[in-house]
Structures are given as C-alpha cells and as structure tokens.
Amino acid sequence: MTDPLATSGIVVVDKPAGMTSHDVVAKLRRAFSTRKVGHAGTLDPMATGVLVAGIERGTKLLAHLVAHDKRYEATIRLGQSTTTDDAEGELTAEHDAAAVTDAQIAAEIAALTGDIMQKPTAVSAIKINGKRAHELVREGKDVDIPARPVTIFAFDTHEVSRQGSLIDVTVTVHCSSGTYIRALARDLGAALGVGGHLTQLRRTSVGAFSLADATPLPVLQDSPALSLTLDEALTRAWPVLPVSDDEYQALALGKWLEPRGLQGVHAAQGPDGRVVALVKEKGKRLSTEFVARPATLG
C-alpha cells in the first residue's frame, strides 16, 4: 500500500546570507510544487545555517520543533552599537574598547551563561498588540519588549581579535529556544561599557537536526528532496515508544492510552516502523500531542 505521507517530511536547509526565512520558504514551495511549506525558528537575513522546513504534513511538526534547543557560531564586535544589535543596523555609538582585557570579556560571558533574563532586541519578530516589533520600529515607534527567561547552556570564546579600538570575539552558543544572539552581543558590550553588536551568525543545529543534515538552497531548487521523512524526523527528534497495532489504531483516532511512567514527549511507533503520533503523559492519561497519521488518512 502506498504511504500517503511519502512526500511529507523535513528539509534541513543551509540558509544563505541575504535572504529572509520567508524567502527560503517561497523558493521551497516552488521547488516542491506545494503550498504546504513552513519553517521552524526564524533566521535573520544576515544569518546562515540550519533552517528546518516542513513539507506537506511535516508542517504540522514545526510547532513542536520550535521549542527545541539551538546552537550557533557567532562573531561579536565590541566597541560599536547599532540600531538592530547586528551589522545590518545603523551605527548609534562608538567607544574605544582597546583597554578591555580578555579576562573581563571572559567574566562577562560567564555572567551571561546559565538561566538569565534577556530583553529581546527591539527589531525582532515578537508580536506586540498584534504587530511585529520590527514593523513598529520601522514606523518610528518606541518598542519596549519585557525581559524573558532563557537558558544559555554554553557560551564559549574561541578567539579574541583586536583591531585598533575594536575587538572581535568569536564564540559558540548553545541556548534554549527564544534566545536572541544579537541580544547577547548587545548585553556583553553593555556590561563591558563599550557597546557591542553581532557581525556574523551561523546556526549549526536546531534540536536533533544539524549542518550534517543540511543541503544548500540552490541544490534543493535543482533537485528537491526531503532530508528526512516524517517517520525519520519524529524518531530522530524524540525518544521512541513502541506501541501495538491496537494502540496504534487508538492513537490514530486521537484516543488516549493508559500511562506508563514516561517523562516528556515520545514518538509512538507501530510494529511496521511508522510513527502514529507524538504522545505525552498528562495525569492518568497518555494522550496525543500531534497525530502524524490520523485514521482519516487511511
């Protein structure tokens, strides 16, 4: 029997610089000849690297992937501040950073590691009263986004390069969803009293999907192909829970099962290797978070 989800899955794109995430989605729609394309986790135009896109029913998975952790390679320039906290914005202030020591940089990076409260950059996709913050900024309005909790699992320095009054710091960051690397650059510069902004950003992973899975956009445009099928994506990103045929059918109907002491979300996989749903225990029920193969698919 033909799998109705044979054309559904995940495409991991190595996004080029100079394009919005929406631009990438538009090109994938043309390449895969479907409107059902979306992405998990926006990358700014200047950023490159891992952009996870869903194709067909894979789009339904994206909301569950957005919450996963992310890893980045970045360069932070100390001594200059910009309107956008990155190199695409206009310069707003310059300070001589030559006197800042490597030890001071290391100390402030350590202070920005762990569970922190971060104020997102004003030029962001966060919605305020129904409008995105960057749209309000372009309209000349003052935008004040409240600080929110994020987790910086690791914030490591790899190189400190000094160029006159400026310092470029090459770092890698492993962080929770919702973290703004531009805001880390801004806050590091502010803590050191010299200002800072991001000059380079490359995302190396989103949850279980990394650059090793990624395909350059031009290659996908010439030869569109899934990076992972829906089953492969589900079993890569979540621990697997084997279920019987009867349990599979129940979950396909959106029914709940008896709890079995699971922690977190699992991919319920039938005897044939196909994943029927993402499930999670809630009280006395093992219930569905997302049904990959609803009974209506046949």
Side-chain angles (χ1 to χ4, degrees):
M1 189 177 83
T2 304
D3 183 0
L5 297 184
T7 57
S8 295
I10 295 295
V11 173
V12 184
V13 183
D14 186 349
K15 186 187 98 61
M19 295 180 70
T20 67
S21 298
H22 184 72
D23 291 337
V24 174
V25 167
K27 290 187 181 298
L28 291 177
R29 282 175 175 158
R30 285 194 288 273
F32 283 84
S33 300
T34 177
R35 294 292 303 166
K36 293 182 180 177
V37 181
H39 69 82
T42 301
L43 276 179
D44 293 328
M46 70 166 272
T48 67
V50 173
L51 184 69
V52 179
I55 308 294
E56 299 288 352
R57 194 155 181 81
T59 57
K60 303 289 187 184
L61 196 57
L62 299 175
H64 303 279
L65 288 173
V66 167
H68 288 200
D69 64 315
K70 298 172 177 66
R71 296 176 189 266
Y72 296 89
E73 298 171 350
T75 303
I76 298 169
R77 176 158 293 170
L78 299 174
Q80 292 178 334
S81 300
T82 73
T83 52
T84 57
D85 302 325
D86 65 21
E88 294 194 317
E90 296 175 13
L91 203 62
T92 57
E94 288 192 80
H95 298 277
D96 189 342
V100 174
T101 66
D102 288 11
Q104 287 173 315
I105 294 170
E108 296 304 340
I109 282 178
L112 287 168
T113 305
D115 295 327
I116 65 170
M117 293 297 291
Q118 184 185 71
K119 195 177 185 67
T121 183
V123 185
S124 69
I126 292 171
K127 285 191 175 180
I128 302 172
N129 297 325
K131 262 200 163 177
R132 299 200 181 277
H134 63 77
E135 293 172 344
L136 294 171
V137 170
R138 276 201 291 270
E139 290 172 8
K141 295 177 181 174
D142 288 330
V143 173
D144 185 28
I145 304 171
R148 55 185 62 190
V150 297
T151 302
I152 311 300
F153 303 108
F155 191 174
D156 298 313
T157 305
H158 296 275
E159 185 180 359
V160 178
S161 173
R162 296 173 181 274
Q163 302 158 25
S165 63
L166 302 175
I167 302 174
D168 281 348
V169 186
T170 305
V171 300
T172 51
V173 180
H174 178 203
C175 57
S176 65
S177 176
T179 302
Y180 283 83
I181 309 302
R182 285 181 291 161
L184 283 180
R186 175 201 67 203
D187 293 346
L188 177 62
L192 291 165
V194 295
H197 71 281
L198 206 60
T199 60
Q200 179 269 334
L201 182 65
R202 182 162 176 76
R203 187 154 67 192
T204 57
S205 72
V206 174
F209 310 107
S210 71
L211 285 171
D213 303 302
T215 303
L217 185 58
V219 175
L220 287 166
Q221 289 178 273
D222 289 340
S223 306
L226 296 175
S227 303
L228 297 99
T229 64
L230 198 59
D231 292 313
E232 290 168 342
L234 285 160
T235 56
R236 168 87 74 87
W238 287 275
V240 172
L241 172 69
V243 295
S244 67
D245 280 325
D246 287 346
E247 290 171 331
Y248 184 107
Q249 296 305 324
L251 292 172
L253 290 167
K255 295 181 179 179
W256 55 271
L257 306 178
E258 292 295 323
R260 51 198 76 187
L262 299 179
Q263 294 294 319
V265 177
H266 282 61
Q269 186 179 48
D272 63 357
R274 294 183 179 182
V275 175
V276 61
L278 289 176
V279 295
K280 183 180 181 181
E281 291 197 3
K282 298 172 184 175
K284 295 184 178 180
R285 294 183 174 188
L286 178 65
S287 55
T288 58
E289 294 277 289
F290 160 67
V291 180
R293 285 192 166 81
T296 51
L297 279 179

Short mmCIF file of all heavy atoms in Angstrom, two decimals, residues 9 25 79 91 148 151 160 168 208 218 222 275 291:
data_model
loop_
_atom_site.label_atom_id
_atom_site.label_comp_id
_atom_site.label_asym_id
_atom_site.label_seq_id
_atom_site.Cartn_x
_atom_site.Cartn_y
_atom_site.Cartn_z
N GLY A 9 7.58 15.45 5.14
CA GLY A 9 8.77 15.31 5.97
C GLY A 9 9.44 16.63 6.26
O GLY A 9 8.79 17.69 6.28
N VAL A 25 11.28 29.79 2.26
CA VAL A 25 10.03 29.03 2.17
C VAL A 25 9.41 29.21 0.78
O VAL A 25 8.93 28.24 0.17
CB VAL A 25 9.04 29.47 3.27
CG1 VAL A 25 7.63 28.94 2.99
CG2 VAL A 25 9.52 28.98 4.63
N GLY A 79 32.79 47.64 20.96
CA GLY A 79 33.23 49.00 20.67
C GLY A 79 32.27 49.76 19.80
O GLY A 79 32.41 50.96 19.58
N LEU A 91 24.90 52.56 12.82
CA LEU A 91 25.77 52.77 13.97
C LEU A 91 25.16 53.85 14.87
O LEU A 91 24.78 54.92 14.41
CB LEU A 91 27.15 53.21 13.48
CG LEU A 91 28.35 52.97 14.40
CD1 LEU A 91 28.54 51.49 14.66
CD2 LEU A 91 29.60 53.56 13.77
N ARG A 148 12.67 38.29 29.30
CA ARG A 148 12.06 36.96 29.47
C ARG A 148 13.14 35.95 29.83
O ARG A 148 14.32 36.14 29.50
CB ARG A 148 11.34 36.55 28.18
CG ARG A 148 12.24 36.59 26.95
CD ARG A 148 11.46 36.30 25.68
NE ARG A 148 10.43 37.30 25.43
CZ ARG A 148 9.50 37.17 24.49
NH1 ARG A 148 9.49 36.11 23.71
NH2 ARG A 148 8.59 38.10 24.31
N THR A 151 17.73 30.17 28.69
CA THR A 151 18.85 29.41 29.25
C THR A 151 20.00 29.36 28.25
O THR A 151 19.80 28.96 27.10
CB THR A 151 18.42 27.98 29.62
OG1 THR A 151 17.34 28.04 30.55
CG2 THR A 151 19.58 27.22 30.25
N VAL A 160 39.84 35.98 20.31
CA VAL A 160 39.68 37.40 20.58
C VAL A 160 40.65 38.14 19.67
O VAL A 160 41.86 38.00 19.79
CB VAL A 160 39.95 37.75 22.06
CG1 VAL A 160 39.82 39.26 22.28
CG2 VAL A 160 38.99 37.00 22.98
N ASP A 168 36.95 41.91 18.10
CA ASP A 168 36.04 40.90 17.58
C ASP A 168 36.21 39.62 18.39
O ASP A 168 37.34 39.10 18.53
CB ASP A 168 36.33 40.60 16.10
CG ASP A 168 35.76 41.66 15.17
OD1 ASP A 168 34.95 42.49 15.65
OD2 ASP A 168 36.10 41.67 13.98
N ALA A 208 17.66 18.12 17.17
CA ALA A 208 18.41 16.96 16.67
C ALA A 208 18.90 17.13 15.24
O ALA A 208 19.57 16.24 14.69
CB ALA A 208 17.52 15.72 16.74
N PRO A 218 20.39 26.26 -3.29
CA PRO A 218 20.43 26.05 -4.75
C PRO A 218 20.34 24.57 -5.15
O PRO A 218 19.74 24.25 -6.19
CB PRO A 218 21.79 26.64 -5.16
CG PRO A 218 22.10 27.64 -4.08
CD PRO A 218 21.57 27.03 -2.82
N ASP A 222 17.36 22.79 -7.50
CA ASP A 222 17.63 21.98 -8.69
C ASP A 222 17.12 20.55 -8.52
O ASP A 222 16.61 19.94 -9.47
CB ASP A 222 19.13 21.95 -8.99
CG ASP A 222 19.64 23.29 -9.51
OD1 ASP A 222 18.81 24.08 -9.99
OD2 ASP A 222 20.86 23.53 -9.41
N VAL A 275 5.42 5.97 12.54
CA VAL A 275 5.07 6.71 13.75
C VAL A 275 3.64 7.24 13.60
O VAL A 275 3.33 7.92 12.63
CB VAL A 275 6.04 7.88 14.00
CG1 VAL A 275 5.60 8.71 15.20
CG2 VAL A 275 7.46 7.34 14.22
N VAL A 291 -0.96 14.07 16.03
CA VAL A 291 -1.22 12.80 15.34
C VAL A 291 -0.63 12.89 13.94
O VAL A 291 -1.11 13.65 13.09
CB VAL A 291 -2.74 12.51 15.28
CG1 VAL A 291 -2.98 11.18 14.56
CG2 VAL A 291 -3.32 12.46 16.69
#
